[in-house]
Amino acid sequence: MKGKVDTPSRNPPILAKLGAIVEEVDPGFANPRSIFQTFWKAGAAKLLRGFSPEQQAVIKEGLQANAKEGDAFGGLRQRITLTEYLSTQDAREVLGRHLQRFHLNYDLLITPTLPVVAFPVGQNRPLSYIDHLERDWSPFAYPFNLTQQPAASIPCGFTKNGLPVGIQTVAAKYRDLLVLQAAKAYETVSPFIMPLEVNTNLSQ
């Protein structure tokens, strides 16, 4: 692997073993949550408009709430105006150009997959994050949905309680192959092996 990589502190030895030049850097952009929320809510509103009332009734509460926030004509007042939407589109393009410049110097950006430990199956957010409209528990994923960059999550170990932990590899737009090559190289030298007790439980 050639080039420079931004990486969480626990993984530089593995990446350096692969031949990467590792640097800890700040990619230099503010949390784009407000940009993401505008597109997410407007998209949810568009999606649910095509559903019948019966279909909408079985949609999860969080998606329904986002759709109501995003529907510019769904209530007594406009929630997201056309001007706001277009301004958000401009902000998205600015973010994309910023990361394009970042990747002129760095082939890959490596981040944690999540800033929190895994939560139970059937639970759509950590209990410490009460508001279903927010996505603060997933700050490393949605920025690259906005910029349309390829990214992959790779298992990299376990917490003291045996919960899985992942790292995320991100490359510049259209460099999907590089992301896949990096993920394969990482898993080659650090294969994901389930703890014995987990394997035993799954086989029962």
Side-chain angles (χ1 to χ4, degrees):
M1 185 189 303
K2 297 180 180 180
K4 300 178 181 179
V5 181
D6 175 33
T7 178
S9 59
R10 295 181 62 182
N11 290 282
I14 294 176
L15 295 168
K17 183 178 180 180
L18 293 168
I21 300 172
V22 179
E23 293 185 5
E24 183 174 350
V25 299
D26 182 346
F29 62 89
N31 188 340
R33 185 185 68 184
S34 61
I35 303 173
F36 173 79
Q37 289 288 4
T38 296
F39 286 111
W40 175 250
K41 292 173 183 178
K46 180 178 181 295
L47 174 68
L48 264 63
R49 279 189 181 183
F51 288 12
S52 67
E54 293 76 19
Q55 291 172 322
Q56 292 189 26
V58 298
I59 297 296
K60 288 186 176 181
E61 176 188 355
L63 183 56
Q64 290 191 39
N66 276 290
K68 289 179 181 178
E69 287 291 319
D71 194 339
F73 306 101
L76 296 178
R77 64 180 180 87
Q78 291 185 336
R79 305 298 179 91
I80 297 175
T81 66
L82 178 59
T83 300
E84 290 170 341
Y85 187 88
L86 293 175
S87 295
T88 302
Q89 181 63 52
D90 291 341
R92 179 182 187 176
E93 292 178 1
V94 169
L95 176 62
R97 288 194 294 270
H98 174 83
L99 281 161
Q100 286 175 3
R101 291 191 295 271
F102 174 85
H103 283 290
L104 293 175
N105 297 314
Y106 297 93
D107 294 311
L108 292 169
L109 171 66
I110 309 297
T111 75
T113 298
L114 290 175
V116 297
V117 298
F119 40 89
V121 174
Q123 185 177 308
N124 63 5
R125 64 185 180 277
L127 291 178
S128 57
Y129 291 77
I130 304 302
D131 190 348
H132 58 263
L133 297 179
E134 303 300 336
R135 292 291 183 275
D136 278 352
W137 58 269
S138 182
F140 303 116
Y142 61 74
F144 309 109
N145 289 337
L146 290 171
T147 58
Q148 300 177 324
Q149 291 175 245
S153 177
I154 312 164
C156 67
F158 297 88
T159 67
K160 292 180 180 180
N161 294 326
L163 295 173
V165 177
I167 61 170
Q168 177 180 241
T169 62
V170 185
K173 194 173 181 179
Y174 305 124
R175 300 202 69 186
D176 304 58
L177 181 59
L178 177 61
V179 167
L180 296 174
Q181 290 172 332
K184 181 179 180 181
Y186 184 93
E187 290 188 330
T188 298
V189 298
S190 182
F192 179 70
I193 301 174
M194 294 286 283
L196 179 61
E197 59 271 19
V198 176
N199 284 324
T200 302
N201 291 336
L202 289 175
S203 65
Q204 294 177 352

